[in-house]
Amino acid sequence: MAKEARIRRPPRRRLHVDDVLVVKKSRLRTAITGTVVGNFMEWFDFGVYGYLAVTLTTVFTGDLPGGLGLLLTLLGFAVSFLVRPLGGFILGPLGDKIGRQRVLFFTMAMMAIATALIGVLPTSAQIGLWAIIPLYLLKMVQGFSTGGEYAGATTYVSEFSPDRSRGFWSSFLDVGSYVGFAAGASVVALTTLIVESNAGANGMVEFGWRIPFLVAIPLGIVAIWFRLKIPETPAFEAEQDAGLTVVEDNADPMARQGLIGIFRHHWRVVLIGIALVSATNTAGYALTSYMPTYLETEVGVSNLMAAVATVPVLILMSACLPFIGKLSDKIGRRPVYGIAVVSTLVLMIPAFTIMQIGEEWAVFIALAMVAIPVAFYVAISASALPALFPTASRFGAMAVAYNIAVSLFGGTTPLFSQALVELTGNTYMPAFYIMFFAALGGVALLTMKETAKRPLLGSFPTVETREEAVEIVEHQDDNPYIDTSTMPLNIIEPPAEPVGSPEPVGT
């Protein structure tokens, strides 16, 4: 009997120089700048709302008891996060389908308009407690837009950044975040100083609170203009050219997936992302959005004093982020996350203890201590988290993981922290809350894959010069950071050839 001919399968095509994505620094800077402005606007609103929380309690909740009114105001902050998953679930997969740049332009415009409209809302003095409803609605619009903003921005900067320096370049996204928050706090502090000097102590409640929100109009126009200028990412365009983002394939984890496919193929990595985002944002939102309220209500410092102490800390922390990002390019993302987790567990209780002293110097030192782990978390978020997911589904998967974590745990930090303080009378409850999620993040870190120095999953290598591209191609077989099996390299199928000659058939 004749033996069946064995068919030789052609090997996957090797990586060529023209496959490697070369991104010049000038184009990279344009892309990063256009992305950073969106995060600046998002966090500008957080800064304004956070530092006006006590004032807005009077403006929108009228004569309700202080504790209840403040919780309702903080609920306005939390409700924006509760709708973020909806925005992420819609805008994330849309960004994988039509492109990162288009969705980022849409989120920027929606966010700027909603922030500005808050500045013209009626107050409880005009329409009673109903005033809180349009505030909640606009915060929900903001939440929907930001559901696609950070996931899209991190996806965008990570795909534009060279593999060897992704931590450095991506860190500028969160520089924009915290500078934006500091700008919002500064505008509130300056407005308070000018208004109260000219209109008395009630000036901020009567009309001054509107000014910081209306400042979002010119800022929004500038940000939208920048967003119009940014190009599409090379990684997304390369996948479009390869035809991989055009057709969904439910069976292929590397192909573009809808929500069901994301959970089906990437649920383990989504859980890792949720844990790390929760650890990052409980500490981050405690430092920013909740700290003004905590300092005023629990420590007894003035709104102006809280801003004076917080703004320099945020500016100093922001200046450190690129250096931490560069450190992660050298030693890896996992070790930097480990530093963040350990420093959170070590520093939170001492920081809140020093904060209780209530003096300006003590508040400054305490906030600086809280900022240390936050800096190590956020400096690598934009480079580490998107790299966990393949290019074809990166925007959507990142939106799912990030927004679930932020909506349930991060953005609700002010509300839950204040509620725990009110319930227990223990002013250290925010510290325990932050430490709990840091511990969960540490557990997730044990199963996270290292992504530093490597091409993004599902993408070609990204470099700054053609010389680097040539070097990568020449050493692709012995480079431990190159895995061509995850890249969109088409297999060229020549006619199948039998191996050996079939034996003659005997009679």
Side-chain angles (χ1 to χ4, degrees), residues 369-440:
M369 293 172 68
V370 176
I372 290 173
V374 174
F376 282 95
Y377 277 128
V378 301
I380 61 171
S381 291
S383 57
L385 297 174
L388 299 175
F389 306 104
T391 299
S393 299
R394 181 168 296 123
F395 197 154
M398 181 66 190
V400 168
Y402 185 82
N403 288 299
I404 287 178
V406 171
S407 64
L408 294 181
F409 309 114
T412 55
T413 295
L415 178 65
F416 287 163
S417 295
Q418 187 62 27
L420 288 171
V421 171
E422 298 275 352
L423 182 65
T424 65
N426 187 339
T427 56
Y428 287 91
M429 291 306 295
F432 298 140
Y433 188 79
I434 297 168
M435 292 166 66
F436 171 76
F437 284 100
L440 291 182

Side-chain angles (χ1 to χ4, degrees), residues 133-208:
I133 303 301
L135 175 64
Y136 285 175
L137 292 176
L138 287 177
K139 295 301 289 182
M140 290 171 70
V141 172
Q142 288 178 331
F144 182 87
S145 64
T146 53
E149 172 62 30
Y150 189 78
T154 54
T155 296
Y156 187 90
V157 298
S158 66
E159 290 182 352
F160 239 106
S161 301
D163 299 332
R164 294 180 180 178
S165 55
R166 182 170 295 114
F168 172 75
W169 289 108
S170 297
S171 67
F172 284 97
L173 184 63
D174 282 290
V175 171
S177 300
Y178 286 90
V179 170
F181 188 93
S186 298
V187 168
V188 170
L190 185 60
T191 302
T192 301
L193 186 62
I194 294 174
V195 169
E196 291 187 350
S197 298
N198 291 277
N202 292 326
M204 286 299 292
V205 173
E206 293 172 357
F207 68 92

Side-chain angles (χ1 to χ4, degrees), residues 66-232:
L68 178 58
L70 180 58
L71 287 178
L72 285 177
T73 303
L74 294 179
L75 181 60
F77 184 79
V79 75
S80 69
F81 285 85
L82 295 179
V83 299
R84 282 182 73 150
L86 177 63
F89 293 168
I90 294 175
L91 298 175
L94 186 63
D96 286 325
K97 185 175 183 179
I98 69 173
R100 288 52 164 131
Q101 189 271 342
R102 293 179 182 178
V103 172
L104 286 174
F105 172 77
F106 174 77
T107 59
M108 181 72 266
M110 182 181 292
M111 187 190 315
I113 292 170
T115 301
L117 287 177
I118 291 177
V120 297
L121 289 179
T123 67
S124 61
Q126 296 170 309
I127 62 172
L129 194 57
W130 291 105
I132 201 75
I133 303 301
L135 175 64
Y136 285 175
L137 292 176
L138 287 177
K139 295 301 289 182
M140 290 171 70
V141 172
Q142 288 178 331
F144 182 87
S145 64
T146 53
E149 172 62 30
Y150 189 78
T154 54
T155 296
Y156 187 90
V157 298
S158 66
E159 290 182 352
F160 239 106
S161 301
D163 299 332
R164 294 180 180 178
S165 55
R166 182 170 295 114
F168 172 75
W169 289 108
S170 297
S171 67
F172 284 97
L173 184 63
D174 282 290
V175 171
S177 300
Y178 286 90
V179 170
F181 188 93
S186 298
V187 168
V188 170
L190 185 60
T191 302
T192 301
L193 186 62
I194 294 174
V195 169
E196 291 187 350
S197 298
N198 291 277
N202 292 326
M204 286 299 292
V205 173
E206 293 172 357
F207 68 92
W209 66 272
R210 298 182 185 275
I211 297 174
F213 290 107
L214 295 177
V215 170
I217 296 176
L219 291 179
I221 292 173
V222 172
I224 291 171
W225 182 84
F226 271 108
R227 280 287 165 91
L228 285 172
K229 299 293 183 181
I230 62 174
E232 188 52 78

Side-chain angles (χ1 to χ4, degrees), residues 135-491:
L135 175 64
Y136 285 175
L137 292 176
L138 287 177
K139 295 301 289 182
M140 290 171 70
V141 172
Q142 288 178 331
F144 182 87
S145 64
T146 53
E149 172 62 30
Y150 189 78
T154 54
T155 296
Y156 187 90
V157 298
S158 66
E159 290 182 352
F160 239 106
S161 301
D163 299 332
R164 294 180 180 178
S165 55
R166 182 170 295 114
F168 172 75
W169 289 108
S170 297
S171 67
F172 284 97
L173 184 63
D174 282 290
V175 171
S177 300
Y178 286 90
V179 170
F181 188 93
S186 298
V187 168
V188 170
L190 185 60
T191 302
T192 301
L193 186 62
I194 294 174
V195 169
E196 291 187 350
S197 298
N198 291 277
N202 292 326
M204 286 299 292
V205 173
E206 293 172 357
F207 68 92
W209 66 272
R210 298 182 185 275
I211 297 174
F213 290 107
L214 295 177
V215 170
I217 296 176
L219 291 179
I221 292 173
V222 172
I224 291 171
W225 182 84
F226 271 108
R227 280 287 165 91
L228 285 172
K229 299 293 183 181
I230 62 174
E232 188 52 78
T233 69
F236 180 81
E237 290 179 335
E239 287 241 332
Q240 286 279 1
D241 293 340
L244 297 181
T245 58
V246 177
V247 180
E248 292 189 23
D249 184 351
N250 293 331
D252 183 4
M254 299 298 291
R256 178 162 59 87
Q257 301 290 335
L259 290 179
I260 295 175
I262 287 172
F263 283 108
R264 175 187 174 189
H265 293 291
H266 307 300
W267 65 269
R268 291 182 179 85
V269 186
V270 166
L271 289 179
I272 293 173
I274 289 174
L276 292 173
V277 172
S278 298
T280 300
N281 284 281
T282 49
Y285 284 117
L287 175 64
T288 54
S289 299
Y290 177 59
M291 202 51 65
T293 299
Y294 183 85
L295 289 173
E296 285 189 64
T297 59
E298 308 304 325
V299 181
V301 305
S302 67
N303 181 285
L304 183 59
M305 178 179 168
V308 168
T310 306
V311 170
V313 170
L314 294 179
I315 296 297
L316 181 61
M317 186 189 79
S318 299
C320 294
L321 298 186
F323 297 100
I324 299 174
K326 183 172 288 189
L327 175 66
S328 76
D329 288 326
K330 293 182 178 181
I331 68 174
R333 318 290 187 227
R334 295 180 74 234
V336 174
Y337 264 134
I339 294 172
V341 169
V342 172
S343 60
T344 301
L345 299 176
V346 170
L347 293 176
M348 281 305 114
I349 297 298
F352 275 77
T353 300
I354 295 173
M355 203 178 299
Q356 302 302 319
I357 298 174
E359 299 290 336
E360 184 77 22
W361 64 268
V363 171
F364 182 85
I365 291 174
L367 292 179
M369 293 172 68
V370 176
I372 290 173
V374 174
F376 282 95
Y377 277 128
V378 301
I380 61 171
S381 291
S383 57
L385 297 174
L388 299 175
F389 306 104
T391 299
S393 299
R394 181 168 296 123
F395 197 154
M398 181 66 190
V400 168
Y402 185 82
N403 288 299
I404 287 178
V406 171
S407 64
L408 294 181
F409 309 114
T412 55
T413 295
L415 178 65
F416 287 163
S417 295
Q418 187 62 27
L420 288 171
V421 171
E422 298 275 352
L423 182 65
T424 65
N426 187 339
T427 56
Y428 287 91
M429 291 306 295
F432 298 140
Y433 188 79
I434 297 168
M435 292 166 66
F436 171 76
F437 284 100
L440 291 182
V443 173
L445 190 59
L446 298 175
T447 59
M448 173 186 165
K449 292 183 179 180
E450 183 57 70
T451 59
K453 304 178 184 178
R454 295 161 174 81
L456 292 170
L457 186 64
S459 293
F460 294 117
T462 305
V463 298
E464 293 183 21
T465 66
R466 186 170 178 83
E467 289 73 21
E468 289 182 75
V470 172
E471 179 185 356
I472 285 177
V473 170
E474 289 179 349
H475 298 90
Q476 61 183 291
D477 293 324
D478 55 3
N479 188 332
Y481 303 121
I482 299 297
D483 180 5
T484 58
S485 68
T486 68
M487 298 177 190
L489 292 168
N490 295 324
I491 297 177

